[in-house]
Amino acid sequence: MKKTSILSIGVILIALLTLFWAGTPANAGPIKLSYANFPPAPTFPCVQMERWKKEVERRTKGKVSIDTFPGGTLLGAKNMMDGVIAGTADIGNLCMAYQPGRFLVTNATSLPLGIPNSLVGSLVLWDLYKKYRPKAFSKVKVLTMFTTAPSNIMSKIPIKTLEDIRGVPIRASGGAAQILKAWNANPVGMPMPQTPEALQKGVVKGLFSSLEVMKDFKFAELCRYVTVTDAVVYPFAVVMNMDKWNSLPKDVQEVMEGLGPQQAAWTGVYMDNHVEESIAWSKKNYGVEVIKLSAAEKASWDRMLEPITNNWVKDVSGKGLPGAQIVEDIRAFTKMYAGQ
Ligand code: 3IO
């Protein structure tokens, strides 16, 4: 054979190989997905993220590989939803309370309706989402949802009465801020990751959220008092870019679909256990005092919350939502999961 024909066979071979590799990206390694989260890695939204990542990688037998970005390194608390819609991250975890007007239906889980813990809250929220399929999520694929445990007051000063809380600047967002307002506190809205600095600088004298943050953000160091209110939960959603979702193979989609309610339950159980651990840790390491309201006092606090739900129903009914039905559903789902 002539030198030139050997050469041209070589060129053709290389061209064919190049075409083959370019045409089959699946053979180039696993499908890579980015997952953005806003708070620091040790906190519960990121713990559930790492668990979801591991489960997906295991259940797809390595077909999918997920890169996690905790601490707002890819998207922050308030641009999470829009960042995922735009494709800045493939997946994002968001707290719906930070955009209360945007997620009206699902934020109804932070009305004072007596959700007793994170497991029940998470299952109720998932069912509510499945029933109503709110328009707010039409541009994304919802992978899972969950809630925190009920909120309690963590503060630098002891709060035992409605007089004690009057005018006190306390950090909260969304539905939880409405509760503080009803108690005549001075709610200051900001996402959780900004709270350590606000507490340090004295911009706020406390916060209103689930108690696992006493340990995970070390708030116990600054807030030596907890007032037990067991009030509203904060709802969260994990969403995926719609084009990215549509590009995934069917078997991968099935794994993620199956994980939806399981991840909600897993996160609920993790949160409820972690709250207990955090309270014990805070007492032991910082001598945190846990204040229980007297029965008479508790009755007054509860009474002040009564108008909130009816006002919400009126408000959203004006916006074309079946407010009364949503409230009834949350109550019924709560009873079912709480075994009442
Ligand atoms: C929360 C948000 C980020 C990390 C840990 C957390 N524990 C409870 C919340 C709820 C929340 O979003 C908030 O702002 O209180």
Side-chain angles (χ1 to χ4, degrees):
M1 224 189 285
K2 271 201 226 158
K3 246 190 197 164
T4 45
S5 42
I6 292 173
L7 204 69
S8 39
I9 287 168
V11 167
I12 288 165
L13 260 175
I14 287 166
L16 278 173
L17 271 173
T18 309
L19 267 175
F20 177 75
W21 279 107
T24 54
N27 289 357
I31 301 163
K32 281 196 176 290
L33 299 173
S34 59
Y35 188 154
N37 219 328
F38 65 92
T43 63
F44 97 94
C46 294
V47 172
Q48 74 76 33
M49 168 171 77
E50 294 302 328
R51 188 270 173 177
W52 189 87
K53 163 194 157 83
K54 246 193 232 148
E55 271 311 294
V56 169
E57 289 174 352
R58 190 176 66 80
R59 294 186 190 191
T60 60
K61 301 186 175 66
K63 205 166 168 176
V64 173
S65 161
I66 294 150
D67 286 325
T68 55
F69 296 85
T73 48
L74 187 53
L75 287 170
K78 290 197 177 179
N79 65 350
M80 193 57 76
M81 187 69 170
D82 290 325
V84 169
I85 291 170
T88 308
D90 298 322
I91 304 169
N93 172 58
L94 64 115
C95 178
M96 299 180 227
Y98 301 160
Q99 294 179 291
R102 185 172 189 170
F103 305 105
L104 278 179
V105 176
T106 42
N107 266 323
T109 51
S110 36
L111 289 167
L113 298 171
I115 290 174
N117 55 51
S118 173
L119 175 57
V120 170
S122 299
L123 297 174
V124 168
L125 174 61
W126 183 251
D127 280 4
L128 195 73
Y129 166 69
K130 284 287 184 181
K131 173 165 179 183
Y132 289 92
R133 299 263 173 194
K135 263 208 208 88
F137 296 98
S138 60
K139 288 185 181 162
V140 293
K141 171 68 187 178
V142 174
L143 296 173
T144 191
M145 287 191 181
F146 45 82
T147 74
T148 62
S151 299
N152 293 290
I153 301 165
M154 298 158 251
S155 53
K156 296 182 178 183
I157 53 164
I159 294 174
K160 299 183 175 171
T161 64
L162 283 169
E163 256 337 286
D164 294 339
I165 198 174
R166 183 182 291 277
V168 178
I170 298 174
R171 178 263 147 203
S173 292
Q178 295 305 306
I179 303 285
L180 287 182
K181 209 171 123 198
W183 290 332
N184 293 315
N186 171 21
V188 182
M190 71 184 79
M192 185 60 90
Q194 287 158 239
T195 309
E197 197 185 321
L199 272 172
Q200 230 132 35
K201 289 194 171 156
V203 174
V204 294
K205 284 193 172 152
L207 71 152
F208 186 51
S209 191
S210 50
L211 292 176
E212 95 292 349
V213 294
M214 287 288 274
K215 183 175 187 211
D216 294 348
F217 281 92
K218 275 206 162 192
F219 289 143
E221 204 174 327
L222 293 166
C223 298
R224 299 298 172 92
Y225 302 93
V226 167
T227 302
V228 178
T229 55
D230 282 337
V232 292
V233 300
Y234 284 80
F236 285 71
V238 179
V239 297
M240 186 189 280
N241 177 276
M242 196 58 107
D243 291 336
K244 186 58 79 166
W245 170 258
N246 289 327
S247 78
L248 295 175
K250 194 120 213 107
D251 57 334
V252 170
Q253 287 184 341
E254 274 164 17
V255 164
M256 291 180 182
E257 293 267 14
L259 254 172
Q262 294 170 7
Q263 184 70 15
W266 187 93
T267 305
V269 170
Y270 170 79
M271 163 65 90
D272 289 329
N273 289 332
H274 200 51
V275 162
E276 292 308 313
E277 211 178 298
S278 167
I279 295 170
W281 181 90
S282 303
K283 284 179 179 167
K284 180 169 172 266
N285 291 284
Y286 292 98
V288 166
E289 183 186 342
V290 177
I291 299 163
K292 291 233 162 71
L293 299 174
S294 72
E297 194 63 33
K298 178 82 166 70
S300 313
W301 289 54
D302 286 347
R303 214 174 309 123
M304 297 184 86
L305 303 185
E306 277 167 13
I308 290 179
T309 301
N310 281 340
N311 288 341
W312 181 85
V313 169
K314 262 186 236 147
D315 182 40
V316 302
S317 298
K319 290 170 182 157
L321 284 180
Q325 185 62 50
I326 291 169
V327 166
E328 199 184 311
D329 284 334
I330 293 172
R331 286 209 168 100
F333 296 165
T334 301
K335 268 191 188 155
M336 170 173 71
Y337 288 122
Q340 292 163 351

